Structure formats: structure tokens, C-alpha cells
Amino acid sequence: MSRPAWVEIDLAALQANYAAAKKAHGGRVFAVLKANAYGHGALACAQALATASPPADAFAVAFVEEALPLRAAGITQPILVLEGAFAADDVQLAAQHQLWLVTHQAQQLQLIEQHAGAALHIWLKVDSGMHRVGFAPHDIAAAHARLAALPQVEKVSFLTHLARADELDTPAPTEAQLHAFHTATANLAGWRSISNSAAILAWPQAHQDWGRAGIMLYGAAPCASSTALQPVMALKSRIFAQRWLEVGDSLGYGAAFTATQRTRVGLVAMGYADGYPRTTPNGTPVAIDGHLSRTIGRVSMDMMTVDLTDLPGVGLGAEVQLWGPQVDINTIAAANNTIAYELMCHVQRVPRVYR
């Protein structure tokens, strides 16, 4: 690796966060690995969780193609496909590789009815109020009856997704969704799954047979919680050039920073093509050789600039942590009016280093 830009993935922290999810939920928990494990590397994360103590009960991915490399690498735990089948081939592959399929619309029911292969475990999705995907509550009993009548369906379970579980000061929408889900599935046999990361941490009344731990696995708490989560991803680079700005000098594209005092600038091998947001404002925290400092100037595609003025012992070669154990990714996300999920998923170009 010649260019000094990389991302460190702490697999022990990942395992600890899964254990925290299990403890908080009190039952079985899916480890969500969609979008390449939120940018962390799905296979490495699956292998670490499959051999952890406790090992992951099961995994979840977005679509069938995300599950196949895990099976090919020897992951034997159940894998839930959250978006379900897009075509008949997906149903065949799910049966062949023993994947659990979410079914959230009539066309997917028809694909399952047309399936003539091995038996399937279907998770019937209830639209309890998010209104994105799922069967309306009043249609659940009929959809369940159709699935239960099929010899190619060995088990039917139920899940829903909470739209506002992270808004702890606005409980009414989540309470309404819980009521709608329980009403729709009353007296129907099968496992239940309601809790996403926020509900695992903050909504014990949503804890059912299975929780679904997503963002909390990777150390970014989805809501205010006393549960300690460990950062898994640390985005890092190094200072590879430095210069002085005099008072009145402007820096970078758009002259986004103008020096009001003599300022020592460090050039960092990191940019928005690496996943660090272009919209990051002046003053966003960074850690340089363990010392807190700030960004100055606009982030470019491959480079960005930081303030070294108050760090006289820091210079060329100094390690820069853009987020990680010392710089909370949630702080960077908030500075860019986004969420930690998006930042993590955009880290693609730099190599991952696992430890």
C-alpha cells in the first residue's frame, strides 16, 4: 500500500457489539450484513461473528446475491433475505442454499406458489405503518393462509419495520406500529421479528423471537442509549505535505477557508472518492497522532486539509483519524446532515485492514 489511506476494521469490537445486542434483546438476533456489512466487508464480518462467543444466531442481507458468497465461504447459519425474491430464480436459489425469504407483496406470493423445489421458510412482512413495503394488516391473514397451504412452504414467520423507533421523544408512532403488528398477526403461528437496532436498545416491548441488529453492530448507536457500543471502523490516512498560510490567504476550492492568523496546513491523502464527505464544513474534528484538531478548506476528490497550527510536534507522516475510536462517526454525520450508515457504506476505494 503506497498511498497512505486505509480503513481499519476491529472485528473484536464487532463481536462485542453483537454480544451487546443479544444481551439487550434477550433472544435470538440477526446480524445484518447488507451493503457489504455497511462497508465493513460482509464475508470477514460474517466469519468473525460465526465464530464469536456467542456466535451469531443468523444473518440478514438485502437480496439473494448478497447471500451466495457467504454460503460459498462456508457460512452455515440461517440467512434472511430482506427484500425477498425479485424473480423465480431467486426463489430457486433460496431453496437451494436454504435462505429465508421475506415476502412483502402479491407478486412475491405468486413466485412462491409457482415454486416446485425444496421447502422454503417465508417471513411475511406486515406494513404496520412505515408504508414502504409489506402487506396491509387486514391482508395478513389471507396471505398467511395462502402460504400455509403450500407444500413447498415449511414455515411462515412474521416481521415488520419500525419507522421512528429512534425518536424516543415521539413514542406514539412506534406504539401504533406495535399495536398494528400484534393485531394483524394475532392467533397466527410463527416467529416474530420487530426490533431494529433502535428498538433493541430502547423498545423492550418490541422484543420478540428475533431482533435485527444493523447499525449498532458497527458501533454507531441509532438512538440515545446507555448501552456502550464500540466503533468498528476507523478511517485513517497520513499527512503527506504541509505549508503555511499567511493572514488573508484562502485555501482550496471555492476559497472555503481564509486564514485569520498564520496557519500551518497539513495535506491528507483522503477525499470524497474515498468516502469522506465533500460537504464537511470547516472545523469538523479530526485526530492527528492522537491530538484533536480540525478540518479546514473544502474536501477534494483525493485530498483534504487539516489545521496543524497548534500541533508543533506533528508533521509529515502523522496518522490522521477521520472517524473511529477518537472521532465519533456520528459527529461527522451530523456535520454533514446525514447518518453514520451513509458514511460507512461510501467507504469503498481504500483498502480494509482487519484486526
Side-chain angles (χ1 to χ4, degrees), residues 66-345:
E66 288 188 329
L68 300 183
L70 304 181
R71 283 286 186 254
I75 298 298
T76 59
Q77 277 97 335
I79 301 176
L80 177 66
V81 180
L82 293 167
E83 292 183 2
F86 288 91
D89 287 351
D90 289 339
V91 182
Q92 295 293 337
L93 287 167
Q96 178 184 345
H97 295 281
Q98 297 181 306
L99 309 177
W100 296 352
L101 278 180
V102 170
T103 297
H104 57 75
Q105 58 172 311
Q107 292 90 334
Q108 292 177 329
L109 272 181
Q110 293 167 2
L111 291 174
I112 293 164
E113 288 171 332
Q114 295 162 6
H115 169 67
L120 296 161
H121 182 173
I122 302 300
W123 286 75
L124 192 58
K125 188 158 193 176
V126 182
D127 177 10
S128 61
M130 189 170 184
H131 302 318
R132 185 177 62 178
V133 295
F135 289 91
H138 61 262
D139 291 327
I140 288 297
H144 177 268
R146 284 175 65 178
L147 290 168
L150 298 174
Q152 62 268 39
V153 174
E154 64 179 2
K155 186 176 179 69
V156 180
S157 297
F158 303 92
L159 81 164
T160 195
H161 197 56
L162 300 175
R164 301 176 67 179
D166 58 328
E167 299 177 22
L168 304 187
D169 57 347
T170 311
T174 298
E175 291 169 349
Q177 283 198 254
L178 295 176
H179 176 74
F181 178 82
H182 292 312
T183 300
T185 60
N187 303 315
L188 298 176
W191 286 332
R192 268 74 166 159
S193 177
I194 299 176
S195 298
N196 55 9
S197 290
I200 287 173
L201 294 175
W203 287 89
Q205 60 269 53
H207 297 174
Q208 299 289 302
D209 302 290
W210 288 84
R212 304 188 304 276
I215 192 64
M216 70 175 297
L217 282 184
Y218 308 102
C223 60
S225 171
S226 60
T227 301
L229 299 172
Q230 300 180 30
V232 176
M233 176 186 286
L235 184 63
K236 294 187 174 184
S237 185
R238 294 192 183 277
I239 303 292
F240 72 94
Q242 56 185 332
R243 66 185 307 142
W244 285 94
L245 297 181
E246 302 301 329
V247 174
D249 287 347
S250 295
L251 176 65
Y253 287 119
F257 173 83
T258 299
T260 58
Q261 62 178 16
R262 196 163 188 260
T263 302
R264 189 162 65 102
V265 178
L267 191 61
V268 183
M270 179 66 59
Y272 60 79
D274 302 301
Y276 194 82
R278 179 181 178 274
T279 51
T280 300
N282 288 315
T284 300
V286 297
I288 307 171
D289 271 358
H291 305 283
L292 287 178
S293 186
R294 60 174 183 149
T295 63
I296 52 176
R298 185 171 294 167
V299 176
S300 304
M301 180 179 286
D302 312 299
M303 295 177 286
M304 58 184 293
T305 40
V306 296
D307 190 353
L308 300 178
T309 309
D310 295 330
L311 303 176
V314 172
L316 294 177
E319 183 177 282
V320 181
Q321 182 186 120
L322 289 312
W323 62 67
Q326 196 170 3
V327 181
D328 185 1
I329 191 172
N330 294 296
T331 300
I332 311 305
N336 287 278
N337 195 31
T338 186
I339 55 177
Y341 303 54
E342 183 177 16
L343 300 188
M344 292 174 177
C345 289

